[in-house]
């Protein structure tokens, strides 16, 4: 059923939000991204603000696609995985182009998932896939709602399988129409995205 | 990688599906602000501006930007609070200590060779960056021959900057940053604590001129040896970034120095060729000979 829903839409970008337990979840998803992936994948994983992020070091060697920390004004390259840098919000601007901001913390976080998701919903509308993974706060709930409102596809990791269920549960509470999936199902979805879109 | 970037440009849909009515209203609002208040936000980076305007809608209890525009045009007292939404006032003393360490180690030795110094801090917000640099220059024995121009477009921020008073609960963070910047002494030498606040030293202020100046609409006012403009360019689109960088290029003396925010870059700018890297990671640049 998900495959059918999927075949009907063109997905131009994927945004992922994660917090506590997110690195493990991403560890299942990112290395499984297909080498021919075309949609860019933009990720906010909550990390400490006061030290360099290790996310690129962790994931780049394990992924078939390039993994980078986002730079301000960088054109969004296809099939590339971008992580928000520590202490900056990551947004998508016209172009599409990556944008960073040093605005106030949102839900005690910078980067914040809401900020990324809301700007991506503006930029990609119905052609966006938003995914909320494990986490222990409710950042991302408003963002996923914005993705859904703009006609994009909203997916939430099944809270029962998540290391920390608060974040996926909050997202679901806010967007009841979001698809609830196991991590394995999300991984397969990202593959299906490639297959259906490649045609 | 460049090939991929080009491919991205060629194959992604030209116009992203932004809400068309909101976009129209935003454009009209920015025009109205420019015409009535002479603040030019028309070339600011759209994504974060959109976000801040949405927050402002809630704050001013307006349903649409058109409504906000109406109120703004007829109730001038609403503009100052709106300006606080449009300009982001997040700052810290010795924010990114490694940047200040790079200035100490890579720039100060050159600054020492000038008999008198001028420094421009553009987008100084409530002054944290200004006091950081003033303290650094004092520690390096250069402040006595230095004049610092600290500029911003937000009058309330400039007032706070001029006052140089910060909540005491921020001071431990300031102190740690200061230490990490390679400071020889203690930050407490530069402020007086009273009533839960830290007041920065008068003798620092003697060397600072605070003024209203917009990188979007004003021009160069002095020749300087160092420009520090951090976390301001990220709020501009590429054209406006180029305008600002053009001002810095013009203001800088021969082989002058430019420092920008830790996530900003000259990579996508028309002025990229005019500067060489001095400390790559810390975003310190130097104007090339003849540029
Ligand atoms: C995030 S703060 C940066 C503060 C400080 N430089 C730092 O890095 O901590 C951005 C500042 O840029 C100012 N600003 C925005 N637009 C400007 C313009 N056109 N010209 C000068 N300053 C501007 C804002 O008012 C705000 O104080």
């Amino acid at each position: 059923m998900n495959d059918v829903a999927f075949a009907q839409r063109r997905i131009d970008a994927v945004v992922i939000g994660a917090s506590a337990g997110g690195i493990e979840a991403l560890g299942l998803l990112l290395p499984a991204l297909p080498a021919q992936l075309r949609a860019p994948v933009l990720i906010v994983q909550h990390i400490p603000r006061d030290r360099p992020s290790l996310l690129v070091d962790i994931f780049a060697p394990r992924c078939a696609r390039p993994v980078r920390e986002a730079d301000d004004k960088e054109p969004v390259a296809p099939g590339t995985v971008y992580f928000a840098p520590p202490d900056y919000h990551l947004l998508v601007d016209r172009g599409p182009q990556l944008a960073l901001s040093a605005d106030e913390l949102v839900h005690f976080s910078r980067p914040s998932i809401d900020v990324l998701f809301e700007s991506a919903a503006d930029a990609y509308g119905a052609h966006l896939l938003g995914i909320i993974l494990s986490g222990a706060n409710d950042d991302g709930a408003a963002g996923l709602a914005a993705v859904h409102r703009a006609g994009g596809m909203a997916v939430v990791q099944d809270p029962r399988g998540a290391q920390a269920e608060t974040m996926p549960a909050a997202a679901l509470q806010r967007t009841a129409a979001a698809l609830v999936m196991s991590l394995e199902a999300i991984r397969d979805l990202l593959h299906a995205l490639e297959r259906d879109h490649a045609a | 990688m460049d090939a991929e970037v080009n491919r991205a440009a060629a194959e992604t849909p030209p116009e992203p599906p932004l809400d068309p009515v909101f976009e129209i209203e935003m454009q009209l609002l920015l025009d109205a602000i420019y015409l009535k208040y002479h603040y030019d936000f028309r070339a600011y980076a759209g994504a974060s501006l959109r976000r801040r305007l949405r927050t402002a809608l809630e704050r001013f209890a307006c349903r649409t930007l058109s409504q906000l525009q109406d109120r703004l045009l007829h109730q001038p007292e609403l503009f100052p609070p709106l300006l606080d939404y449009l300009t982001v006032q997040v700052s810290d003393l010795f924010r990114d200590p490694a940047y200040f360490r790079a200035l100490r180690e890579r720039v100060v030795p050159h600054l020492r060779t000038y008999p008198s110094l001028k420094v421009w801090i553009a987008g100084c917000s409530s002054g944290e960056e200004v006091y950081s640099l003033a303290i650094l220059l004092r520690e390096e024995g250069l402040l006595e021959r230095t004049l610092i121009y600290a500029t911003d477009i937000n009058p309330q921020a400039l007032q706070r900057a001029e006052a140089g008073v910060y909540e005491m609960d921020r001071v431990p963070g300031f102190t740690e940053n200061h230490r990490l910047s390679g400071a020889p002494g203690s930050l407490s030498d530069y402020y007086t604590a009273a009533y839960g606040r830290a007041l920065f030293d008068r003798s620092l202020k003697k060397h600072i001129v605070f003024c209203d100046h917009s990188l979007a609409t004003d021009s160069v006012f002095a020749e300087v040896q160092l420009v520090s403009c951090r976390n301001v360019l990220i709020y501009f689109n590429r054209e406006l970034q180029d305008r600002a960088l053009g001002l810095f290029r013009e203001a800088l003396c021969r082989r002058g120095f430019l420092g920008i925010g830790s996530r900003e870059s000259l990579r996508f700018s028309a002025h990229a060729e005019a500067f060489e890297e001095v400390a790559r990671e810390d975003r310190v640049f130097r104007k090339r000979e003849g540029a």
Side-chain angles (χ1 to χ4, degrees):
Chain A
M1 167 236 150
N2 295 328
D3 272 5
V4 175
F6 226 50
Q8 291 167 346
R9 59 170 83 215
R10 189 185 87 219
I11 293 293
D12 287 337
V14 180
V15 287
I16 302 179
S19 190
I23 302 209
E24 292 75 2
L26 290 169
L28 187 90
L29 298 183
L30 300 185
L33 288 175
Q36 68 283 18
L37 179 75
R38 305 200 36 76
V41 180
L42 313 175
I43 306 175
V44 166
Q45 160 71 51
H46 290 163
I47 40 172
R49 287 195 287 126
D50 59 352
R51 62 191 93 129
S53 155
L54 298 173
L55 292 168
V56 170
D57 299 333
I58 294 172
F59 289 107
R62 298 168 58 194
C63 292
R65 299 299 318 168
V67 178
R68 294 216 285 264
E69 205 162 271
D71 250 330
D72 187 47
K73 306 279 185 281
E74 182 175 353
V76 180
T80 302
V81 178
Y82 295 99
F83 278 104
D87 210 22
Y88 284 84
H89 293 301
L90 170 62
L91 304 91
V92 191
D93 223 321
R94 286 218 137 159
Q97 208 176 69
L98 299 175
L100 299 179
S101 100
D103 286 15
E104 293 75 8
L105 308 189
V106 175
H107 300 290
F108 309 102
S109 304
R110 191 167 56 216
S112 141
I113 302 167
D114 282 347
V115 173
L116 171 65
F117 278 39
E118 285 167 12
S119 68
D122 281 341
Y124 294 103
H127 303 295
L128 179 67
L129 165 59
I131 305 173
I132 296 290
L133 300 176
S134 170
N137 56 64
D138 58 3
D139 189 16
L144 195 73
V147 172
H148 181 67
R149 244 191 343 265
M153 186 173 189
V155 169
V156 174
Q157 180 185 1
D158 190 338
R160 287 167 305 184
Q163 257 190 47
E165 59 174 25
T166 312
M167 204 159 88
L172 268 180
Q173 191 173 15
R174 183 85 181 254
T175 307
L179 298 168
V180 183
M181 293 183 172
S182 69
L183 266 189
E184 290 71 21
I186 297 174
R187 177 193 59 198
D188 297 345
L189 188 68
L190 291 170
H191 265 274
L193 162 91
E194 197 40 54
R195 193 192 57 222
D196 295 331
H197 183 32
Chain B
M1 181 208 115
D2 279 346
E4 271 204 348
V5 170
N6 291 339
R7 206 152 58 87
E11 293 182 13
T12 35
E15 282 309 81
L18 295 166
D19 173 354
V21 175
F22 189 88
E23 294 307 301
I24 293 169
E25 291 180 301
M26 178 158 108
Q27 201 179 323
L28 293 173
L29 175 70
L30 299 181
D31 280 344
I33 291 174
Y34 179 61
L35 292 172
K36 175 135 172 90
Y37 299 103
H38 313 293
Y39 281 85
D40 193 355
F41 290 101
R42 296 174 300 175
Y44 279 47
S48 66
L49 195 57
R50 237 169 255 128
R51 179 175 176 82
R52 271 169 284 132
L53 283 173
R54 287 204 181 105
T55 322
L57 281 181
E58 281 172 38
R59 153 73 172 73
F60 293 96
C62 292
R63 207 168 35 79
T64 64
L65 289 180
S66 311
Q67 239 174 37
L68 181 62
Q69 175 183 324
D70 179 45
R71 292 183 56 196
L72 213 55
L73 285 174
H74 300 287
Q75 296 169 253
E77 70 277 10
L78 290 186
F79 185 65
L82 182 74
L83 190 60
D84 270 342
Y85 277 84
L86 293 179
T87 59
V88 177
Q89 305 298 331
V90 178
S91 195
D92 243 326
L93 227 71
F94 292 91
R95 177 184 199 164
D96 308 316
Y99 169 76
F100 290 93
R101 181 182 278 275
L103 291 185
R104 261 184 226 283
E105 292 170 359
R106 313 293 297 274
V107 177
V108 162
H110 296 278
L111 297 184
R112 284 192 203 291
T113 63
Y114 295 95
S116 77
L117 285 171
K118 284 183 179 156
V119 173
W120 178 13
I121 300 174
C124 68
S125 188
S126 28
E128 291 87 337
E129 188 182 345
V130 187
Y131 292 105
S132 308
L133 215 56
I135 291 168
L136 185 151
L137 290 170
R138 160 109 354 122
E139 287 166 338
E140 302 297 333
L142 290 175
L143 188 63
E144 294 315 307
R145 56 172 117 147
T146 302
L147 182 61
I148 299 177
Y149 297 103
T151 63
D152 204 283
I153 57 168
N154 186 318
Q156 297 175 69
L158 279 172
Q159 267 174 25
R160 284 194 296 270
E162 207 156 358
V165 178
Y166 304 98
E167 294 301 319
M168 209 57 204
D169 60 4
R170 299 179 66 194
V171 170
F174 289 176
T175 305
E176 175 65 1
N177 283 351
H178 174 246
R179 192 182 62 76
L180 292 171
S181 80
S186 156
L187 186 67
S188 59
D189 295 344
Y190 300 98
Y191 65 84
T192 320
Y195 306 109
R197 292 166 168 213
L199 166 64
F200 277 82
D201 223 71
R202 262 172 201 288
S203 70
L204 299 172
K205 285 182 214 170
K206 265 198 341 217
H207 299 274
I208 308 169
V209 182
F210 294 92
C211 43
D212 189 326
H213 179 279
S214 171
L215 296 169
T217 50
D218 294 323
S219 42
V220 169
F221 52 85
E223 188 185 73
V224 302
Q225 282 80 23
L226 166 64
V227 173
S228 186
C229 180
R230 314 195 66 223
N231 302 304
V232 182
L233 297 174
I234 42 174
Y235 293 105
F236 296 172
N237 73 14
R238 284 198 198 174
E239 289 72 39
L240 186 51
Q241 275 196 351
D242 279 344
R243 182 187 198 277
L245 288 167
L247 295 182
F248 301 154
R249 181 177 175 178
E250 193 186 332
L252 282 172
C253 68
R254 183 181 153 255
R255 304 286 285 139
F257 292 88
L258 168 67
I260 59 179
S262 62
R263 290 287 158 180
E264 293 166 331
S265 88
L266 302 184
R267 211 163 21 120
F268 306 112
S269 160
H271 299 285
E273 297 304 312
F275 294 93
E276 65 194 36
E277 288 169 347
V278 172
R280 195 176 123 76
E281 283 296 302
D282 302 309
R283 318 283 160 135
V284 180
F285 300 83
R286 189 171 192 189
K287 193 160 90 165
R288 284 185 200 278
E289 194 65 68

